Amino acid sequence: MAAFLIVMPTMKTAAWEKRIRAAQPDIDLRVWPEVGDPEEIVFALTWRHPHGTFKRFPNLKCIASMGAGVDNILSDPDLPAGVPITRIVDSSLAQSMTEYVVMAVLNYCRNARFFRDREAEGVWKPVIPKLAANEKVGILGLGQLGSDAARKLQTLGFTVAGWRRSQQPMAGVETFCGLSQFQAFLAATRILVNMLPLTAETRNILNRDTFTHLPPGAYLVNVARGEHLVEEDLLEAIAAGQLSGACLDVFRTEPLSQEHPFWAHPGITVTPHIASLTNPAAVIPHIMENYRRVLAGREAAHKVDCDRGY
Ligand code: NAP
């Protein structure tokens, strides 16, 4: 017996179950916490699993993240050693994320919030927009998602730079590598977009020191993880005029508490972690392909490098 287990305690799983059964009608599909015999579990599809879950399955051959990020999986101190971890790489995820990033950047350049507030007051108050040709966007992380956003922002006429770990040229995008080039990257960035994975190196990377190296009045977009951002440092930087504002999709604690100062802040736009939601219809073919590979003893696609953390 080889069973496929869904472990997504924070989500409704009915749509996933239906599509997985449609893709493979003879599948032995189980949904946590109704695990059955733990020895039969060979493949786990997961999002925000309770830590310690996977160590119970001695024959587990693959842990598949339901999203692009794997930080919650890797932060489990009881992860079974040697079980491959995979993540989602799909053009629909990149397309959705790019739409959000383009929206956030254009809302900033076109003063969308200012005009929404004037509209509510019935006040006619022209303000000159910032034009793409004069704006420099710096993207932290030029991976699957960051590189797609970089290309499309470039098409709109923005000057785009990126920061990554490895030296990989990208046409028309000035690329900065590693900590030695971090400050030079920040100095050339007017709109900072964070698309990094959450790792030991990147946790709290959006902090006071980072903001100090941006040109005064720079704008922040965070679509990666809440733990990248030191929230008090953002509030201080906006109060000091070092940053002009921020658009945030992710938060240290989600949902954002009712009392959180970000909600009412006039310079901060809040969205509830919706920049790029995984679309089951688009990604189930990839997941089922990996399930079949695992059953056949072959290597799964889009494996995460656990030492690197992404
Ligand atoms: P990815 O393909 O793994 O790309 C990660 C990028 O970050 C790579 O370019 C990598 O550099 C760079 N990087 C990693 N660690 C670094 C470091 N210490 N210093 C400099 N650069 C570093 O990841 P992805 O698929 O683009 O996804 C990025 C993140 O987006 C996910 O991890 C997730 O947290 C977030 N996300 C959010 C949502 C949402 O709805 N808000 C949805 C999906 C994903 P190299 O290229 O040199 O390796």
Side-chain angles (χ1 to χ4, degrees), residues 87 142-145 163-166 223 225 249 276 310:
R87 69 189 198 99
L142 280 183
Q144 294 294 327
L145 306 182
W163 185 68
R164 69 192 314 168
R165 257 166 48 132
S166 58
V223 288
R225 286 290 181 264
D249 185 54
S276 185
Y310 67 98

Side-chain angles (χ1 to χ4, degrees), residues 63-65 67-70 85-89 144 301-304 310:
I63 300 171
S65 171
V70 289
I85 297 166
T86 62
R87 69 189 198 99
I88 298 294
V89 173
Q144 294 294 327
H302 303 307
K303 268 171 60 181
V304 169
Y310 67 98

